[in-house]
Amino acid sequence: MKTVQITKIGSPLEEREVKTPQPQNHEVLIKVKAAGICHSDVHYRDGTGSVGFLPITPGHEIAGIVESVGSAVENVQVGNRVAVHYLVTCGICDYCTRGLEQFCQKGKMIGKDINGGYADYVAVPARNVIPVPDGVRLEVAAVMMCSTATAFHALNKARITAGDFVAVFGAGGLGLSAIQLAKACGANKVFAIDIAEDKRELATSFGAHAINPLDEAPEVQIMDITNGRGVDVALEFTGISQVQEQALASLGVQGRIALVGIGKKPFKVDSYANVINREAEIVGVSDHKHSELQPLMGFADQGLIDINTVVEDIIPLDVTQINQKLDDLAAFHSSARTVITP
């Protein structure tokens, strides 16, 4: 089968032919119909994030059709439309039993530690399969497995409640999902902060108040608009230290900042002014939970969130186009999500 793989850290991906995997007893083989290109894939390519081995097939946002199933699989049928939860966990360690499976001591990530979806086929554990309703496009379902799910987990970690003021820093794929989810959770007001005009326009179409940080420091604009109240929840998706500092400074009393974006540099914290004096909280966000995925599918199926507009572009399993999209993400030139359709 055809794959596009990371063969050397710091180098462009390469197209390779490999043997089609066969599902083991508790696995299913999926014909990949959609594989999202995520900013994390940029980190795996450049070495900011590690991979389990080389060469490896990236792609952790996967949806497709079940091609075959292992002998012990009972809950999944050939022909099912499915998406894939990308965290493969043991289910029995202390973290798993406490509902913190993203920290599983033996956990592995599809597309990082296990071959992923930049391929014609992928084999995954049957328990990682999420049914996709007929009303949800597979391209959308694939993206929901990462950006939407992570945005939902970030809001849960930040303990969003109805009436909250929310600021979303970075209106890419995750940010646009977060804006819609925040509105669905009853947020009173949602701010979207991004330097790109097209991203701000999309955010506005979802009901956000768009802020251009080039006009004035975004935390200053937020404080002016809210009459000094600030926001209850700030979600930071860029991983840029300056933006992280701005997001923290935008918090009001007992505000919570959820850090999602991955960056190489630390950011400065004014511990008294921005944290102690406001009883603010800095919350880390790592991936998401399996239990959050089915409710998300329900949101999309019921039309409570519209992820169709988050999918910016659809490309074939072509190494040149994939590398170009990764380059665009690395330079922060991509406005939303690109999906590969092998």
Side-chain angles (χ1 to χ4, degrees):
M1 70 173 184
K2 180 179 176 181
T3 64
V4 172
Q5 295 187 320
I6 301 171
T7 60
K8 182 180 179 181
I9 300 302
S11 297
L13 275 60
E14 297 182 12
E15 180 181 319
R16 300 181 74 240
E17 288 288 330
V18 303
K19 186 177 180 180
T20 301
Q22 296 301 308
Q24 301 302 305
N25 290 348
H26 295 277
E27 292 184 331
V28 299
L29 180 68
I30 297 172
K31 171 62 177 173
V32 178
K33 293 295 185 180
I37 297 179
C38 178
H39 208 124
S40 295
D41 299 334
V42 175
H43 298 312
Y44 303 145
R45 186 183 68 165
D46 68 18
T48 301
S50 62
V51 295
F53 54 87
L54 292 174
I56 190 169
T57 306
H60 53 275
E61 302 178 353
I62 305 168
I65 307 295
V66 176
E67 183 87 0
S68 61
V69 302
S71 60
V73 175
E74 298 179 352
N75 62 324
V76 183
Q77 306 296 322
V78 172
N80 285 171
R81 302 172 78 247
V82 297
V84 177
H85 176 43
Y86 60 65
L87 295 175
V88 179
T89 58
C90 72
I92 59 174
C93 71
D94 177 63
Y95 291 118
C96 285
T97 56
R98 287 195 286 145
L100 301 171
E101 71 267 21
Q102 68 268 48
F103 302 104
C104 174
Q105 295 167 333
K106 297 181 180 179
K108 294 184 178 181
M109 179 175 174
I110 296 170
K112 178 181 184 292
D113 306 302
I114 302 170
N115 282 320
Y118 287 18
D120 290 324
Y121 296 92
V122 64
V124 304
R127 69 176 184 272
N128 283 63
V129 162
I130 306 295
V132 177
D134 290 339
V136 179
R137 294 166 53 208
L138 290 175
E139 295 89 348
V140 168
V143 169
M144 289 177 66
M145 291 298 97
C146 180
S147 63
T148 311
T150 301
F152 190 39
H153 185 57
L155 285 165
N156 288 335
K157 285 284 292 177
R159 305 191 308 281
I160 186 173
T161 59
D164 278 352
F165 283 22
V166 178
V168 176
F169 287 77
L174 279 88
L176 292 173
S177 293
I179 290 165
Q180 296 183 72
L181 288 164
K183 299 288 285 186
C185 290
N188 182 306
K189 196 171 190 65
V190 180
F191 298 96
I193 300 91
D194 205 290
I195 61 173
E197 183 178 359
D198 57 342
K199 294 182 183 181
R200 296 197 304 273
E201 289 177 353
L202 266 176
T204 300
S205 73
F206 290 132
H209 181 106
I211 288 178
N212 185 351
L214 299 180
D215 292 340
E216 188 178 19
E219 66 272 28
V220 173
Q221 296 186 59
I222 288 171
M223 289 298 176
D224 286 346
I225 295 168
T226 63
N227 295 317
R229 179 187 188 278
V231 297
D232 303 289
V233 173
L235 306 179
E236 204 295 310
F237 292 114
T238 73
I240 300 171
S241 55
Q242 180 184 9
V243 180
Q244 292 170 327
E245 292 164 14
Q246 293 169 340
L248 179 60
S250 73
L251 295 180
V253 171
Q254 293 194 336
R256 290 87 64 195
I257 176 175
L259 300 177
V260 185
I262 301 171
K264 294 182 178 180
K265 298 180 179 179
F267 69 98
K268 298 177 182 177
V269 176
D270 187 333
S271 59
Y272 178 72
N274 291 338
V275 181
I276 297 171
N277 198 42
R278 300 178 185 177
E279 287 196 348
E281 299 175 41
I282 300 173
V283 181
V285 178
S286 179
D287 293 309
H288 55 268
K289 297 183 179 183
H290 187 282
S291 60
E292 293 168 325
L293 299 177
Q294 202 62 58
L296 280 178
M297 282 296 171
F299 290 163
D301 193 35
Q302 296 170 47
L304 296 177
I305 56 174
D306 177 13
I307 310 301
N308 288 282
T309 52
V310 173
V311 178
E312 174 192 44
D313 200 7
I314 295 175
I315 64 173
L317 186 62
D318 176 81
V319 67
T320 300
Q321 294 186 57
I322 292 171
N323 276 314
Q324 183 59 60
K325 290 298 181 181
L326 291 171
D327 291 342
D328 291 344
L329 279 172
F332 294 94
H333 290 160
S334 181
S335 62
R337 234 24 177 210
T338 296
V339 175
I340 301 164
T341 56

